[in-house]
Amino acid sequence: MVRQRLEEYARLIEPALDRFLPEINAPQKRVADAARYSLLGGGKRLRPALFLEFYRLCGGNVNEALPFACALEMIHTYSLVHDDLPCMDDDDLRRGRATCHKAFDEWTAVLAGDALLNRAYEVMADAAAGFHRPQDAVRAMRHIARSAGIYGMVGGQTMDLQMEAGRLGSENLEQMVALKTGALLSAACVGGCLLAGAPQRQCQAAERYAHSFGLAFQIRDDVLDAEGDEKELGKTVGSDEKDGKTTYLTVFGPGECRRRIDALTQDALDAALCFSDSSFICDLARWLAGRTY
Ligand code: GRG
């Protein structure tokens, strides 16, 4: 059921991504091609689906929110392209294909990530200008920008690399994950509410859902890196161990990881009670606890 709903959302999102980042025939074609290669090459489309679903739960029509949802996927994809670079995680496989710098080269991948990030804000600004409630669009954009930047995902990535270098202890693990993984999920859930002009009560519930969902999602990711199937995941497994990374699995072990995932899933389900017709976000929270891809 979850897979089916995600696929339904993906059928809406994929053509829109293609439209928002069209092929070009110009001297900068190489970087545009690399950006399209990474953006249109698979992925669960979890963040844009969450954005559209929270917008719908707060009374919006999902078609209006598509530019913001697609922008979020562009930001997520840029982070994956940069994270895969040799100076960060140094990975060869992403979404079942060669990583961007392997399919092209390093400078192209750096610029493709930059292009995706900038295009995301351009797409949102274009949509905000024509939006019937521009102030809601600006609030959503601000939340997305903050969640992606130094107080969000970039901050979390900074902490992650510092931990890997032994400059930051494992007591920072939860904050690192809340920023690296949770912040962009908050951009999706809270961003959708803000765009719909939802009351504070719903924005706070969306934040709580995203926080618990994000931590559980990452703990499951850590477990999958050790135990998952490379083919099904579409990315290299075992890289955390190879890099000597501090993860939930190395700090707490599999039993405690399972216990935490269950408690966080329950917290996400409690937060979802704030929304009527919350079956999809509840099913998603339950699905992630045992996800295999
Ligand atoms: C380079 C600023 C910067 C940040 C990188 C995204 C990221 C931060 C690192 C990638 C590695 C990692 C474990 C990130 C945590 C979030 C996560 C599990 C991303 C993968 O998300 P999925 O599973 O991927 O939704 P798809 O491919 O389905 O979109």
Side-chain angles (χ1 to χ4, degrees):
M1 201 56 195
V2 167
R3 214 174 175 137
Q4 198 183 324
R5 283 294 298 277
L6 274 176
E7 279 166 13
E8 272 167 35
Y9 270 129
R11 277 198 289 278
L12 210 59
I13 293 158
E14 305 280 344
L17 288 172
D18 189 32
R19 282 198 305 279
F20 287 126
L21 196 73
E23 247 190 295
I24 61 171
N25 264 315
Q28 60 272 49
K29 177 175 168 50
R30 180 175 177 80
V31 168
D33 285 350
R36 277 175 59 84
Y37 170 85
S38 293
L39 185 68
L40 303 175
K44 293 183 284 298
R45 311 306 191 194
L46 192 58
R47 292 152 195 80
L50 277 168
F51 191 97
L52 296 178
E53 180 65 7
F54 273 88
Y55 187 71
R56 188 189 72 79
L57 288 175
C58 297
N61 169 344
V62 293
N63 289 307
E64 299 164 358
L66 265 176
F68 297 86
C70 288
L72 200 55
E73 184 67 10
M74 288 181 200
I75 296 171
H76 169 58
T77 305
Y78 119 77
S79 80
L80 299 177
V81 170
H82 281 190
D83 185 67
D84 289 335
L85 286 168
C87 63
M88 296 213 197
D89 252 15
D90 193 11
D91 278 318
D92 296 351
L93 189 67
R94 171 70 67 184
R95 293 176 164 173
R97 303 201 293 173
T99 47
C100 191
H101 67 278
K102 286 285 173 188
F104 293 82
D105 52 43
E106 264 182 68
W107 70 262
T108 307
V110 170
L111 292 178
D114 295 341
L116 284 164
L117 179 62
N118 284 288
R119 180 68 184 146
Y121 291 101
E122 187 186 353
V123 166
M124 285 192 282
D126 282 347
F131 208 66
H132 43 293
R133 292 180 309 269
Q135 71 279 21
D136 292 338
V138 170
R139 268 190 215 112
M141 275 174 73
R142 183 189 181 276
H143 184 69
I144 291 170
R146 193 170 169 92
S147 305
I150 195 73
Y151 301 107
M153 181 179 67
V154 170
Q157 180 76 346
T158 308
M159 290 178 72
D160 194 10
L161 293 171
Q162 298 272 77
M163 280 174 82
E164 210 177 314
R167 294 194 203 106
L168 211 58
S170 61
E171 68 279 8
N172 297 289
L173 185 63
E174 182 164 334
Q175 194 200 353
M176 182 276 279
V177 168
L179 295 180
K180 186 179 83 166
T181 308
L184 216 56
L185 289 162
S186 162
C189 304
V190 181
C193 296
L194 290 171
L195 187 66
Q200 205 183 9
R201 181 179 61 82
Q202 287 188 320
C203 295
Q204 281 169 349
E207 182 64 48
R208 181 175 159 201
Y209 176 90
H211 179 80
S212 294
F213 187 100
L215 277 182
F217 189 80
Q218 185 60 57
I219 298 174
R220 185 69 193 148
D221 211 65
D222 291 349
V223 173
L224 286 172
D225 189 79
E227 298 171 2
D229 176 58
E230 193 157 289
K231 214 166 166 283
E232 194 173 6
L233 280 167
K235 63 179 181 180
T236 320
V237 296
S239 55
D240 290 346
E241 195 183 341
K242 178 190 78 169
D243 298 339
K245 267 193 150 179
T246 305
T247 70
Y248 269 89
L249 192 61
T250 63
V251 174
F252 296 108
E256 178 63 12
C257 283
R258 168 52 45 204
R259 203 192 61 71
R260 286 187 183 223
I261 290 174
D262 290 345
L264 289 161
T265 302
Q266 188 53 53
D267 194 61
L269 292 174
D270 291 346
L273 288 174
C274 187
F275 302 91
S276 50
D277 189 17
S278 60
S279 58
F280 179 50
I281 58 171
C282 288
D283 288 348
L284 255 185
R286 289 191 201 97
W287 161 82
L288 90 89
R291 74 184 171 98
T292 51
Y293 70 103

